[in-house]
Amino acid sequence: TTITSNHWIMAWAGLEINTLSILPLISKSHHPRAIEAATKYFLTQATASALVLFSSMTNAWHTGQWDITQMTHPTSCLILTSAIAMKLGMVPFHFWFPEVLQGSPLTTGLLLSTIMKLPPITLLFMTHHSLNPTLLTCMAIMSAALGGWMGLNQTQVRKVLAFSSISHLGWMTIILSFNPKLTLLNFYLYTLMTLSIFLTLNTIKVLKLSTLITSWTKAPSLSAMLLLTLLSVAGLPPLTGFLPKWLIIQELTKQNMAPMATMISLFSLLGLYFYLWLAYCATIGLPPHTTNHMKQWHSHKPVSTLF
């Protein structure tokens, strides 16, 4: 509904249906962590949907237009940017996403990371000409930085993938005002690679780095594929994930935004570190000092946080 609509009320209704449809999938295990994740997801998405409705009503009040592409009022555009950032889990509205992903099964986590982000990305695509490029660039740089930084010290695979997703949203958003087709290309390729990672992890039943170490002996071919996909998501040439990053850097340089291109590239190196760490765990196993650190980490954590 959201993707095909021209009217803001229809787009809002589509977003609401989207939210309500995923809630049972998050909470189906009835584990306290899953219920907590579903509650956090519901509250965040409901707030974001209310803001979408509020921004569209404010725009209609000032301009008389309910068409999605006719969003011209500055305050409405600002509220809409915040609402979509909240829906996607971009910095500074990212806090809910790692928690929700950690409380969900891997298959539901896959849906949350990919298909559930399509309607908000589509709304961004349709309204990109009205949004503030400076604000989008700042949010993008912060998302890439925080996504890379926070992913470094994680031992739960789902949380690593959540911060990876936040980092990728930064790449998608920074180019939105200049070449929105690159945003969609990046999203499609990210979806394909994430699909591959989540399904592989689901097949070999891996939720923590400590269980990822033994995956090579159980499924060597899947672990090899996981290695390649992780390197691709990291953006290493000649793999697929390098293409959108290269095109985005090229476009930013053409728009005289070389400093921004440099910054986001440097922040993606943080992500490269934890992708390589995951890849190393999947194929070789952890170095001894890391294994000891993880044993200490697990001994200090309550059981509920390891769900």
Side-chain angles (χ1 to χ4, degrees):
T1 309
T2 307
I3 295 166
T4 55
S5 58
N6 291 316
H7 198 285
W8 272 114
I9 295 292
M10 290 301 290
W12 170 79
L15 290 170
E16 288 295 300
I17 293 165
N18 219 14
T19 302
L20 292 172
S21 64
I22 197 82
L23 286 172
L25 294 175
I26 299 172
S27 58
K28 68 179 177 183
S29 69
H30 300 296
H31 189 282
R33 192 70 187 260
I35 304 299
E36 182 191 333
T39 310
K40 283 178 179 173
Y41 186 75
F42 173 73
L43 291 173
T44 315
Q45 298 297 311
T47 308
S49 292
L51 284 173
V52 167
L53 200 56
F54 181 58
S55 72
S56 55
M57 283 173 69
T58 311
N59 189 65
W61 180 271
H62 287 280
T63 64
Q65 283 289 344
W66 279 101
D67 195 299
I68 292 176
T69 54
Q70 301 296 318
M71 176 70 78
T72 50
H73 193 258
T75 311
S76 302
C77 293
L78 193 66
I79 298 168
L80 180 72
T81 308
S82 306
I84 294 179
M86 198 181 289
K87 278 215 161 280
L88 288 169
M90 280 175 63
V91 176
F93 308 105
H94 65 283
F95 299 102
W96 63 272
F97 189 58
E99 297 296 322
V100 170
L101 214 64
Q102 179 60 24
S104 311
L106 279 168
T107 43
T108 310
L110 169 63
L111 292 176
L112 285 169
S113 301
T114 55
I115 296 168
M116 298 303 289
K117 295 201 173 183
L118 184 57
I121 288 272
T122 310
L123 285 178
L124 271 182
F125 182 79
M126 291 166 80
T127 56
H128 71 90
H129 53 274
S130 311
L131 304 178
N132 184 341
T134 313
L135 177 64
L136 287 173
T137 305
C138 288
M139 289 168 82
I141 295 287
M142 287 195 300
S143 295
L146 201 126
W149 195 259
M150 295 291 286
L152 291 176
N153 203 28
Q154 302 297 332
T155 56
Q156 301 283 339
V157 175
R158 282 170 294 185
K159 280 205 171 177
V160 172
L161 292 172
F163 287 114
S164 152
S165 182
I166 292 167
S167 180
H168 275 268
L169 279 170
W171 281 91
M172 290 175 214
T173 314
I174 200 165
I175 202 65
L176 183 75
S177 303
F178 311 108
N179 193 339
K181 287 182 181 175
L182 277 183
T183 299
L184 288 187
L185 173 70
N186 199 342
F187 178 71
Y188 294 146
L189 291 179
Y190 166 75
T191 302
L192 279 173
M193 294 183 291
T194 308
L195 180 78
S196 171
I197 290 172
F198 270 96
L199 292 179
T200 305
L201 292 172
N202 192 47
T203 308
I204 55 182
K205 298 286 177 284
V206 167
L207 294 176
K208 297 195 289 284
L209 283 180
S210 51
T211 47
L212 187 60
I213 304 165
T214 58
S215 64
W216 180 261
T217 51
K218 289 189 288 186
S221 53
L222 271 179
S223 296
M225 195 179 80
L226 183 62
L227 165 73
L228 282 173
T229 316
L230 284 166
L231 295 179
S232 183
V233 175
L236 288 184
L239 301 164
T240 316
F242 174 63
L243 175 70
K245 283 189 166 70
W246 181 38
L247 292 174
I248 287 169
I249 290 167
Q250 197 175 27
E251 187 65 32
L252 285 172
T253 313
K254 280 182 194 169
Q255 300 289 341
N256 295 322
M257 289 182 68
M260 294 302 163
T262 309
M263 280 174 72
I264 200 164
S265 305
L266 288 173
F267 287 135
S268 72
L269 290 177
L270 293 167
L272 175 63
Y273 178 81
F274 63 71
Y275 290 124
L276 286 173
W277 195 30
L278 278 174
Y280 186 85
C281 291
T283 51
I284 302 165
L286 285 172
H289 65 87
T290 320
T291 315
N292 294 332
H293 166 70
M294 283 180 66
K295 280 176 185 169
Q296 289 166 12
W297 188 88
H298 285 308
S299 64
H300 287 99
K301 282 279 176 182
V303 176
S304 63
T305 59
L306 297 179
F307 165 64

